Amino acid sequence: MVDQQAVRSEQGEKEKTGLTEKARAIARAFFIHTMLWLFDLDNTLHDASHAIFPAITANMNAFLAKTLGSEHGPADNETVNAVRMKYWQRYGATLLGMMRHHDVRMEDFLREAHQFDDLAAMIRAERGVHRFLQRLPGRKILLTNAPRRYSREVIRHLGLHRHFAKHVAIESMHVHRSLRPKPSRHLLKKLLAREKVAPRRVILVEDTAKTLKAAKSLGMRTVLVTQYLSAQAAKQLVTLVHHERRNRPSYVDVKVQSIRQIPEHLCRLRD
């Protein structure tokens, strides 16, 4: 004879399991659709190393040579390169060092560094980024240390502007009246508070190690994009992952070559 009570109990367990799995699926879908994505611009959404970064470096060097020079003429290349790298390594941005130690105005520095004869002709990006952003669930914010005018031109040229709810450029990166661009934790904390979102619901997509580390230390999810890394940065990454005996640094949740590969890793980002 069939034990009816046992059958009913088994059916009940199956229904309960089915409901649990369905609830989990709904929760996962809700989690992804309520995520906040922070996208870097240069060397993340497009290849700035192709022509834009070399031009910015040349413009920056000319500005620094003039600023660091004397009545006898501009500073030599060795001095300029040393100062630029020292400030970038110390502050995360050459601009901060020039502002703090040489009374340079942010507006002047950004204007001189981002002078291009034909910016549109210098932009390079892979195909399909527009469709990727269109299909990616969740709100998206463009978070870039580049000036607003330049970043707006690049993003419009790529046809990506409509996918971003907000555009946070370096002019908007002040905390307590002090300029705090990426990789500042103060900046990221302020952004979290302003957006009223918990760190675990935020995913930062970047190519810069320092910013990814800062975001991870606050509890954000992190995605490293390697497609446009410089030879030096790529070499440092290989050394680091070899030392840690894993395929990505500890401060990176997902490592991709192209941002179009991110959907393949959504499970890891939401767990």
Side-chain angles (χ1 to χ4, degrees):
M1 249 183 112
V2 178
D3 187 338
Q4 295 297 329
Q5 186 175 355
V7 171
R8 285 195 296 271
S9 176
E10 185 178 347
Q11 288 176 340
E13 287 300 320
K14 286 182 178 179
E15 290 176 1
K16 197 181 296 182
T17 302
L19 286 173
T20 302
E21 291 177 353
K22 184 177 180 181
R24 287 175 179 170
I26 292 173
R28 287 195 295 268
F30 176 78
F31 186 81
I32 287 298
H33 279 84
T34 57
M35 292 297 288
L36 175 63
W37 297 83
L38 304 178
F39 277 90
D40 175 48
L41 175 62
D42 293 329
N43 275 359
T44 297
L45 293 176
H46 74 110
D47 183 4
S49 294
H50 166 70
I52 294 175
F53 274 179
I56 290 176
T57 298
N59 292 340
M60 197 184 301
N61 284 352
F63 181 80
L64 264 62
K66 182 178 179 181
T67 304
L68 300 173
S70 64
E71 66 273 11
H72 303 295
D76 59 66
N77 290 336
E78 185 176 351
T79 299
V80 167
N81 289 329
V83 168
R84 189 186 74 248
M85 290 304 299
K86 180 177 75 173
Y87 291 158
W88 184 82
Q89 292 172 351
R90 182 174 179 181
Y91 300 113
T94 303
L95 169 60
L96 289 182
M98 295 303 294
M99 291 174 62
R100 294 179 184 182
H101 301 290
H102 305 278
D103 295 323
V104 167
R105 295 174 66 247
M106 176 179 68
E107 296 81 3
D108 296 336
F109 182 93
L110 294 175
R111 183 187 63 252
E112 294 299 321
H114 293 80
Q115 296 280 354
F116 308 104
D117 294 330
D118 187 357
L119 178 59
M122 303 166 73
I123 298 173
R124 292 288 186 278
E126 64 176 329
R127 294 182 179 181
V129 176
H130 164 73
R131 290 188 296 276
F132 154 73
L133 289 175
Q134 189 175 38
R135 292 195 298 261
L136 189 69
R139 292 178 64 240
K140 306 166 190 71
I141 291 178
L142 185 67
L143 185 66
T144 173
N145 277 1
R148 184 173 293 107
R149 181 178 177 181
Y150 158 80
S151 52
R152 184 183 294 124
E153 286 186 29
V154 172
I155 217 72
R156 284 189 172 275
H157 179 82
L158 295 172
L160 306 179
H161 57 286
R162 69 195 69 177
H163 301 298
F164 292 98
K166 292 183 180 179
H167 175 185
V168 181
I170 194 168
E171 293 93 336
S172 302
M173 294 180 174
H174 286 85
V175 180
H176 303 307
R177 297 185 179 181
S178 295
L179 184 64
R180 302 282 188 181
K182 298 184 296 180
S184 169
R185 283 166 48 92
H186 298 291
L187 167 72
L188 297 176
K189 284 183 178 180
K190 180 179 178 180
L191 183 60
L192 290 173
R194 189 177 65 196
E195 296 301 320
K196 298 179 180 179
V197 60
R200 69 184 189 85
R201 304 189 78 85
V202 179
I203 302 174
L204 174 69
V205 184
E206 261 274 2
D207 69 299
T208 306
K210 288 183 179 180
T211 306
L212 290 166
K213 287 179 182 178
K216 188 65 177 177
S217 71
L218 294 176
M220 296 184 193
R221 315 296 174 96
T222 55
V223 178
L224 169 64
V225 181
T226 63
Q227 187 172 18
Y228 306 122
L229 286 181
S230 66
Q232 181 180 2
K235 184 177 180 181
Q236 291 174 345
L237 178 63
V238 169
T239 302
L240 178 61
V241 298
H242 176 73
H243 177 72
E244 295 188 4
R245 296 183 179 180
R246 47 188 288 163
N247 67 349
R248 64 185 190 279
S250 58
Y251 54 84
V252 172
D253 292 305
V254 169
K255 183 182 73 170
V256 295
Q257 181 178 15
S258 163
I259 60 171
R260 295 190 303 162
Q261 297 170 338
I262 291 176
E264 302 170 16
H265 303 279
L266 288 181
C267 289
R268 187 184 301 167
L269 291 170
R270 71 186 174 208
D271 291 338

